[in-house]
Amino acid sequence: MGSRGRRAVLLGGLGLVAAGAVAGREEIERAWWLLPGVSKPREEGALDHAGASWSAASPANWRLADRPADHRIDRIVVHVTQGGFASSVEAFQNPWHKASAHYIVRQDGHVEQMVRELDVAFHAGSRSMNERSVGIEHEGFVTRPQDFTDAMYAASARLAADVCRRYGIPADREHIIGHSEVPGADHTDPGPHWDWTRYLRLVGELLR
């Protein structure tokens, strides 16, 4: 092997070592945020999305975390409530419900935040997906296409684009998924009437 070849191997090896060191430092930092008693400062009722209002979900329906420092956020999960807005808010505030989402989008475009994005909402039926995702519920029923209004699509797209921008999430079908697409899920939402093409187009336009 000539000197040029040895130099390339050496530089390549140093690059791998440097990449490994960066990855190792990131894992150490994440491990620190997972330690008991370590927590980011937070304010009761603070909003992550400027267009939302706040109603707190029961602490029994979500888990305290320090995302994205402890768990990377790289997915958005789209849900449909299978009920009305008020009953969905009440369900997430009921400690026996054992489920919640970060947001509920009403048919008129109103957005209600119920769990901070820092924290892990119990929305996807999968611990690993819950830890890595933001859950967005939409008022309505999967069998009623009329429930998915123009105002709802527009408000949800603004919210999703905001989440994508803050965490560097690509606005595509790999990273914005339906509840039914979560591995092991037994749910069917958002169902066949949810217009994915329209939704992703709206999100993409807002990110340009």
Side-chain angles (χ1 to χ4, degrees), residues 156-175:
S156 183
R158 284 193 297 272
L159 169 58
D162 188 22
V163 173
C164 286
R165 187 178 295 110
R166 284 187 278 107
Y167 301 109
I169 302 173
D172 57 34
R173 287 288 283 115
E174 180 182 352
H175 297 87

Side-chain angles (χ1 to χ4, degrees), residues 18-42:
V22 170
R25 185 169 65 250
E26 288 179 352
E27 292 310 309
I28 290 171
E29 290 173 352
R30 292 188 187 283
W32 186 83
W33 282 106
L34 290 166
L35 290 173
V38 176
S39 182
K40 293 181 179 180
R42 60 188 69 210

Side-chain angles (χ1 to χ4, degrees), residues 42-57 67 85 89 92-93 100-106 110-119 121 134-137 159 162-163 166-167:
R42 60 188 69 210
E43 180 183 343
E44 180 68 25
L47 296 167
D48 295 302
H49 178 59
S53 297
W54 174 260
S55 294
R67 304 189 312 165
F85 174 80
V89 171
F92 291 168
Q93 291 177 330
S100 65
H102 295 93
Y103 298 95
I104 304 175
V105 183
R106 207 163 58 195
H110 172 80
V111 178
E112 196 77 8
Q113 183 167 4
M114 300 200 67
V115 179
R116 288 293 309 276
E117 291 174 15
L118 284 166
D119 299 319
V134 170
I136 304 177
E137 287 275 4
L159 169 58
D162 188 22
V163 173
R166 284 187 278 107
Y167 301 109

